[in-house]
Amino acid sequence: MQKNLNLNINPNIGTAVFKQLVDQVQRLIARGQLLAGDQLPSTREVAKQLTINPMTVSKAYSQLELEGHVERKKGIGMIVKASTQDPKEQQESLLKPTLKEFVFQAKQLGLSKSEAYKLIEQSWSEDE
Amino acid sequence: MNKPLDIQSLSHGFSQSLWPWAKANEDEYCLDSIDLSLEPGSITGLLGKNGAGKTTLIQCALGLIQPIQGHAEIFSENSWNASTESRQQLGYVPQESGLLDNAKNEELLRHWGAYYKNWDHDFALALLDKFEIDKAKKTGQLSVGQRQCVSIIMAIAHRPNLLVLDEPVAGLDPKARRQFIEVLLEDYWDENKTILFSSHITSDIERIASDVIFLKDRKILLQENLDQLKANYHKITLPEQEDRQSLIDGIENKVAIRERGNDIIVTVSQPVPQLSSDILQQQLNLEDLFMELHA
C-alpha cells in the first residue's frame, strides 16, 4: 500500500536535504507509521511535493536501501522491509544526536541535571 | 558524453574587456586560473560576493567575451567560436534581460523562437500562463519580475541541454521564485540537462542544487557536492580557556578563523573527531558557510 508520508524538510539548515529525508523515513518506520510492505511514493512525487531536486530524493532512497530499510522492486518502486533491528534500539539511536546537543547546551547554560530533567518534563506535558 | 561545460586555467582581466590589445597585469585579473567542469545532469549554484567575478565567468563560459588566458568549452567546442549546433543546445538568462519593449509577449517569443530548431511554442505559452503573464501585453508594460520570467521562458522553451542563469531570481517575489524553481525542476530539468546558476539566495541553492561553487578573490574557493559539503564543513566554537591556542593549532583542515566576543570560531572542511564534550561543533548551512568564508 502507498501512504501519504507528510514528509517535511528544511533546506536551510546544516543537515543535507537527503539526510533529512533518510532520517524522517527511518523515524516513520521506527514509529510504526510505515510498515513492512508499504510503498514509498515515487521520487518525482516527493520532489514535486517538497519542491526539491529529484536527484536528492533518489539519493535518499538509495541510502535507505543501502541501510536495509527498504528494497527496490522492479516496476513497483521502493518497499519497506521488515525490520531486523530492535525497535527500541532504533528509537534510541535516532534520538541520540538531538540529546547530545541538548545536554551540551544545557551544560553551557550552567543547568544542573535535575533542572534539565525538569525542562524535558515541562516540554513533554506542554506537547500533550 | 560530451561535458556540457569545461573550463581550463581561464583568466580574464578588467582592462582586457575594455581594451583587448592591452597587456594584462596580474593585479588586474578579475578571474585567475579558473578550472571548472560540469557533469551532465548536475545543477550547480554559483556563489560569491558582489564583484567576485560571477558574471564575467559566465560570460567567458558562454563565449560572450574572450578570456585572455585559458579557454572555455561548451559541448567540447571552444565557446568563443562554437558552432551553431552547440549554441542551439544552450539557454542563457542574463542578469539584465534587455527585451524589446514594443513587442507583445507572444510575438516576442515567436520571433525569438524562430532562431531555434527545437523551439516549443506551446511550451512557451504554457509557461507564460503558469507565470500569469498576459500574452497580449507588451513587454514594456511588464514589471521587472515579469520581464525576468519572460527572459527565463526564452532560455528554456527550446529545452537546451545546458542552461546558464545569471541571478535569475533577483527581481522575483517569493511566490514567483518558488514558481520559477517548480518550472525548472518539473517542466525543464531531467537527467540529461545541466544547469549553472548564480544567486545570492542561498536557500534556493540549497533547495535545488546538487553542487556548489564559491568564487572568492578571483579564484574558485571550492567546488563541491552540496550534500558532501554539508556533511564535511563544521563550525567549532571555542570559549576562552587556558590551552585554547594549542587546541586551535591542533585542529586540522581549518578554512577560516574569527573572533566573536570571547569565543573563537574555527571553520573546518572536515569534522574534528573526539573533541572534548564542552566544545560545540556544528554543521553549517550555506549562508553560515558563506559568512564564515568571507569573514
Side-chain angles (χ1 to χ4, degrees):
Chain A
M1 193 182 91
Q2 191 176 328
K3 286 187 175 166
N4 182 13
L5 296 185
N6 260 328
L7 295 168
N8 233 318
I9 55 112
N10 179 359
N12 319 128
I13 58 172
T15 311
V17 172
F18 98 93
K19 186 79 177 51
Q20 293 181 44
L21 289 174
V22 169
D23 289 349
Q24 273 185 48
V25 173
Q26 278 182 1
R27 254 177 261 143
L28 289 172
I29 295 174
R31 271 209 306 251
Q33 266 169 299
L34 272 176
L35 301 170
D38 281 346
Q39 187 190 340
L40 300 183
S42 74
T43 50
R44 276 267 167 196
E45 262 172 79
V46 177
K48 190 177 156 83
Q49 192 196 335
L50 302 172
T51 335
I52 53 171
N53 188 328
M55 280 186 291
T56 306
V57 187
S58 356
K59 192 169 171 184
Y61 280 10
S62 300
Q63 179 75 22
L64 285 163
E65 189 185 11
L66 200 74
E67 290 176 11
H69 299 291
V70 298
E71 60 187 330
R72 206 181 292 266
K73 284 223 169 115
K74 263 219 165 112
I76 301 174
M78 289 302 211
I79 306 292
V80 178
K81 268 172 53 170
S83 175
T84 48
Q85 204 185 3
D86 176 31
K88 261 260 136 15
E89 234 171 70
Q90 213 173 341
Q91 286 168 343
E92 277 168 23
S93 70
L94 284 169
L95 263 179
K96 268 267 162 59
T98 318
L99 275 177
K100 233 176 144 177
E101 171 82 16
F102 172 78
V103 170
F104 176 84
Q105 294 210 11
K107 275 187 183 169
Q108 206 177 35
L109 291 166
L111 257 61
S112 71
K113 221 191 234 176
S114 62
E115 282 169 323
Y117 281 144
K118 218 177 259 165
L119 272 180
I120 293 180
E121 257 166 39
Q122 247 172 37
S123 300
W124 194 283
S125 48
E126 271 168 20
D127 206 43
E128 272 169 354
Chain B
M1 193 173 166
N2 285 349
K3 282 251 167 72
L5 178 65
D6 193 28
I7 293 179
Q8 272 167 29
S9 46
L10 180 145
S11 298
H12 194 68
F14 286 112
S15 51
Q16 256 62 29
S17 45
L18 295 172
W19 307 289
W21 55 86
K23 199 166 163 31
N25 178 342
E26 270 182 36
D27 302 336
E28 291 167 7
Y29 280 6
C30 52
L31 293 173
D32 187 1
S33 320
I34 302 283
D35 291 315
L36 183 170
S37 82
L38 301 181
E39 292 298 324
S42 62
I43 302 180
T44 305
L46 179 60
L47 280 156
K49 281 204 300 200
N50 293 322
K54 302 187 293 289
T55 298
T56 312
L57 177 59
I58 285 176
Q59 290 178 339
C60 284
L62 299 181
L64 298 170
I65 51 179
Q66 194 173 19
I68 52 171
Q69 269 169 34
H71 68 284
E73 288 184 346
I74 48 171
F75 309 107
S76 305
E77 282 186 357
N78 194 321
S79 307
W80 183 246
N81 41 30
S83 64
T84 315
E85 234 163 77
S86 289
R87 300 214 164 271
Q88 290 273 329
Q89 299 183 52
L90 204 66
Y92 172 47
V93 179
Q95 213 164 11
E96 275 159 34
S97 45
L99 307 174
L100 294 169
D101 282 350
N102 248 328
K104 288 181 181 143
N105 291 319
E106 187 184 2
E107 287 169 2
L108 178 76
L109 289 173
R110 195 179 291 284
H111 285 302
W112 181 261
Y115 291 103
Y116 291 102
K117 243 179 6 211
N118 295 329
W119 184 261
D120 182 346
H121 200 62
D122 290 336
F123 180 40
L125 294 182
L127 290 177
L128 267 185
D129 243 19
K130 203 160 183 172
F131 285 126
E132 294 165 33
I133 297 173
D134 187 349
K135 63 180 177 184
K137 256 195 181 173
K138 286 186 176 171
T139 320
Q141 296 172 286
L142 302 180
S143 70
V144 177
Q146 287 175 318
R147 290 165 69 90
Q148 191 67 358
C149 292
V150 172
S151 180
I152 289 165
I153 297 172
M154 288 161 74
I156 64 173
H158 57 299
R159 302 184 193 277
N161 283 325
L162 173 62
L163 176 64
V164 179
L165 311 109
D166 196 356
E167 296 206 30
V169 295
L172 303 189
D173 64 56
K175 189 186 166 210
R177 248 173 53 213
R178 187 55 75 89
Q179 267 176 339
F180 157 70
I181 291 179
E182 281 172 11
V183 164
L184 269 196
L185 290 179
E186 290 165 29
D187 300 312
Y188 165 70
W189 185 85
D190 61 44
E191 288 82 355
N192 302 313
K193 307 271 191 278
T194 310
I195 303 177
L196 173 68
F197 73 110
S198 71
S199 176
H200 291 300
I201 307 197
T202 50
S203 59
D204 287 344
I205 293 181
E206 285 171 312
R207 201 169 264 291
I208 65 171
S210 55
D211 299 87
V212 288
I213 294 174
F214 275 71
L215 208 56
K216 191 197 174 193
D217 297 334
R218 308 174 291 179
K219 288 176 185 289
I220 288 185
L221 189 61
L222 62 90
Q223 177 177 13
E224 210 165 323
N225 173 279
L226 178 59
D227 295 332
Q228 215 77 72
L229 184 129
K230 283 196 164 179
N232 291 341
Y233 281 76
H234 281 73
K235 176 169 100 172
I236 301 169
T237 307
L238 296 144
E240 212 165 5
Q241 63 187 68
E242 249 174 56
D243 57 343
R244 181 161 70 176
Q245 194 50 50
S246 64
L247 221 85
I248 293 173
D249 293 341
I251 294 177
E252 285 177 31
N253 306 306
K254 294 189 278 278
V255 291
I257 299 182
R258 71 179 170 99
E259 285 179 38
R260 188 188 63 191
N262 289 329
D263 295 340
I264 289 186
I265 306 215
V266 179
T267 307
V268 288
S269 59
Q270 283 291 330
V272 176
Q274 290 155 343
L275 265 182
S276 101
S277 66
D278 54 339
I279 293 175
L280 183 60
Q281 176 164 240
Q282 292 165 302
Q283 288 182 312
L284 292 155
N285 69 13
L286 260 193
E287 188 173 317
D288 294 335
L289 183 61
F290 187 90
M291 297 305 284
E292 295 301 336
L293 293 177
H294 289 91

